[in-house]
Amino acid sequence: MNIFRIAKVIVVLSSLSYLSVIFLRNYNSPENIQKRCTLKFEKDFKNPLETSREEWDQILDLADNNYLKCMGITQY
């Protein structure tokens, strides 16, 4: 009886660790990182009509830097 309980615990722990490894591998794939970063900073790239050209250039530079930081690309 005790052997079956130990076997169940081992199977459950093994399954949980396997699922967590699969989740982390999928979550940290380059495609998923790019999708998350694109969705996160997509609103920064929309041009409101009342902004000036200089202000819009600053907004784009900031959004571009934040996007690259989210992607994990180092900047100089």
Side-chain angles (χ1 to χ4, degrees):
M1 221 36 193
N2 222 0
I3 294 174
F4 292 118
R5 184 175 292 167
I6 293 172
K8 279 196 256 183
V9 169
I10 291 172
V11 167
V12 167
L13 290 177
S14 299
S15 298
L16 286 175
S17 64
Y18 176 73
L19 289 174
S20 65
V21 166
I22 295 297
F23 171 77
L24 289 174
R25 185 181 306 158
N26 186 32
Y27 185 78
N28 291 327
S29 71
E31 295 86 19
N32 286 334
I33 291 173
Q34 183 179 8
K35 286 179 188 176
R36 284 194 309 270
C37 292
T38 301
L39 289 175
K40 185 175 180 181
F41 295 105
E42 191 174 54
K43 66 180 182 301
D44 292 341
F45 288 105
K46 293 182 181 169
N47 185 1
L49 296 176
E50 64 273 355
T51 57
S52 67
R53 179 74 177 157
E54 293 81 22
E55 186 180 358
W56 178 239
D57 287 340
Q58 289 177 349
I59 291 171
L60 283 179
D61 287 341
L62 180 63
D64 190 38
N65 290 339
N66 288 338
Y67 178 76
L68 292 175
K69 188 187 307 180
C70 178
M71 290 290 293
I73 300 172
T74 57
Q75 296 179 8
Y76 301 100

